[in-house]
Amino acid sequence: MPPKLMIPGPVDVEAAVLDMLAEPVQAHYGDEWVAIHNETLELLRQVFVTEGRVYMLPGSGSLAADAVIHSMFKPGDRIALGINGFFGIRWREIIEANGMTPVVIETPLDQPLDPAAFDRLLAEDPSIAGVAAVQLETSTALLNPIRAIAQVTRKHDKLFVVDAVSGLAGAEYRMDEWGVDATVSGSQKGLGGVAGIGLAALNDRAWAAVEQAGPARSWYLDLRRWEWYVQNWADWHPFPITMPCSVILALRVALQSLLAEGLDNRLRRCETLAQRLRAGLVEIGMELFIPETLMSPVLTAAYCPPGAKSADVVRFVAEQHNIKITAGFGAVKDQVVRIGHMGAMISENDIDRLLDALRHFVDEYAAQAARPDEG
Ligand SMILES: Cc1ncc(COP(=O)(O)O)c(C=O)c1O
């Protein structure tokens, strides 16, 4: 039996998604494929809740981030960036790698980004071209106030780019209604597909910036190139490269399933599971890393039982109970575990099995501690 995945992505996928990966290889061009490709984009628009352009970029979420930053901004541009964890830091690297300057607004790991700080910065520094922030900071399970930051950014008429790699379809997100200009995500988390596709969604404001951004410094990351194929090869090959058809077919099945359940229903299901897990953790004595009100519905970070190390908890749960969870990040790596409950494949039974496994760990750990001579 493969282990139950309760990590923050990739997620276990539904049987129909897995079956699709075993289907014969398809050609990535021609009428039949173009219809599948376009239908998948339409499903994605429903999940991003946008009427904008969506691109499936073979690669991962980070590639989509790289493509969006590369395409929307010019070298030398200053981009206000919220950082309160590892993935915020990754955006700093991506912005710098593209020759732009991140102007960092930082909050501690356990605190959400502050929309008022963005408001002040944008008021003081009109040279800033755009704002970037991570929705669900996967390193800590914290959900940032994207809607409020979007409001502030739009007030100052700047572009807003959001990393929704781990939060999409796991926490409320309404790109057009909230006024987010570009969103980046990936196929392997809340959407319920397998890894392999970076996703980029851009509204007309973002697209106008792409058109004005000057010469590209990359071939693959240049979204104007991707759009050229949409416009000029629409009838047989609306993308510049060979697409991973099997991965896209699997993603399409996952999206169909997600939308059949209904986005809101999926979110409610995630919330119910999260509450069940968190109540159980507290009962076991595993304190939540941040208050529940700050956590996303699809990821939980909790301190290990007192005295225990995350590596030991993770190993025990894997070896004794065949469930894969993961450690914390950075400064709290040894003290914190992270438990993913995203996608379609987490049930109440999985949550209860994990809680049993953690209870078992606590009992064994306490029993060992009571026998100091055995270490
Ligand atoms: C919030 C966030 N951003 C970006 C990434 C990077 O995505 P990928 O690993 O698909 O490149 C991740 C991956 O876990 C993530 O959680």
Side-chain angles (χ1 to χ4, degrees):
M1 272 277 279
K4 178 76 205 169
L5 290 184
M6 295 187 76
I7 55 175
V11 299
D12 279 336
V13 300
E14 292 171 280
V17 175
L18 213 48
D19 288 349
M20 194 48 80
L21 293 167
E23 288 291 310
V25 168
Q26 291 215 9
H28 66 286
Y29 46 77
D31 291 347
E32 205 182 324
W33 181 257
V34 170
I36 291 170
H37 179 83
N38 289 339
E39 185 198 327
T40 311
L41 292 179
E42 200 39 57
L43 298 171
L44 286 167
R45 277 188 197 96
Q46 292 178 47
V47 179
F48 283 104
V49 197
T50 184
E51 290 180 357
R53 292 168 169 80
V54 175
Y55 301 93
M56 291 189 277
L57 307 169
S60 75
S62 304
L63 177 119
D66 214 7
V68 163
I69 290 295
H70 176 95
S71 300
M72 280 176 61
F73 298 100
K74 295 187 276 298
D77 273 356
R78 291 159 60 73
I79 302 173
L81 170 68
I83 296 185
N84 55 349
F86 176 86
F87 288 102
I89 293 170
R90 170 162 305 183
W91 277 80
R92 183 170 71 199
E93 294 166 359
I94 290 172
I95 290 169
E96 285 172 347
N98 279 287
M100 297 138 199
T101 304
V103 183
V104 172
I105 297 184
E106 205 161 359
T107 53
L109 288 184
D110 57 355
Q111 280 173 36
L113 297 175
D114 176 11
F118 286 88
D119 197 12
R120 281 194 297 277
L121 177 66
L122 294 176
E124 281 162 14
D125 187 347
S127 75
I128 287 183
V131 172
V134 176
Q135 178 204 18
L136 161 51
E137 181 41 83
T138 320
S139 61
T140 58
L142 188 146
L143 196 61
N144 278 311
I146 293 301
R147 187 180 195 161
I149 300 172
Q151 246 166 25
V152 163
T153 308
R154 189 57 72 88
K155 184 177 99 181
H156 292 278
D157 197 23
K158 303 296 178 188
L159 294 162
F160 188 26
V161 179
V162 171
D163 171 343
V165 172
S166 56
L168 195 65
E172 194 192 14
Y173 190 73
R174 310 183 71 81
M175 176 167 161
D176 287 0
E177 193 184 310
W178 291 3
V180 176
D181 298 303
T183 308
V184 164
S185 195
S187 48
Q188 74 275 22
K189 300 193 195 251
L191 302 186
V194 297
I197 308 286
L199 298 164
L202 286 83
N203 69 9
D204 286 346
R205 286 162 48 93
W207 191 254
V210 170
E211 287 189 322
Q212 288 159 19
R217 284 90 51 217
S218 161
W219 187 92
Y220 198 93
L221 299 179
D222 179 8
L223 290 178
R224 277 175 300 185
R225 183 176 314 282
W226 288 77
E227 183 62 20
W228 188 93
Y229 284 84
V230 173
Q231 297 300 331
N232 294 285
W233 284 16
D235 55 340
W236 78 289
H237 197 305
F239 30 76
I241 52 130
T242 308
M243 294 300 260
C245 296
S246 307
V247 175
I248 291 174
L249 284 164
L251 176 62
R252 184 175 67 141
V253 172
L255 292 169
Q256 284 165 341
S257 165
L258 166 62
L259 292 165
E261 179 176 354
L263 257 184
D264 290 344
N265 293 336
R266 171 68 62 86
L267 296 190
R268 268 196 294 277
R269 178 149 74 99
C270 292
E271 270 160 21
T272 308
L273 292 171
Q275 281 161 12
R276 190 179 185 91
L277 172 64
R278 290 163 193 170
L281 290 172
V282 171
E283 218 178 273
I284 292 171
M286 293 178 66
E287 192 194 329
L288 299 180
F289 176 61
I290 49 175
E292 198 168 355
T293 48
L294 297 181
M295 266 192 212
S296 90
V298 286
L299 181 60
T300 296
Y303 286 102
C304 295
K309 281 212 155 125
S310 59
D312 297 330
V313 181
V314 169
R315 192 180 320 108
F316 182 91
V317 166
E319 284 175 2
Q320 305 274 329
H321 295 267
N322 206 24
I323 303 172
K324 208 162 171 52
I325 61 172
T326 193
F329 251 94
V332 292
K333 179 171 177 287
D334 290 341
Q335 295 101 56
V336 167
V337 288
R338 291 176 306 139
I339 300 160
H341 30 98
M342 46 183 65
M345 293 293 287
I346 303 289
S347 65
E348 284 189 357
N349 185 47
D350 295 321
I351 300 287
D352 292 347
R353 263 192 354 98
L354 176 64
L355 289 169
D356 284 345
L358 292 168
R359 257 181 231 111
H360 185 193
F361 175 85
V362 171
D363 291 347
E364 292 273 310
Y365 194 75
Q368 223 178 50
R371 298 192 297 269
D373 49 328
E374 291 175 26

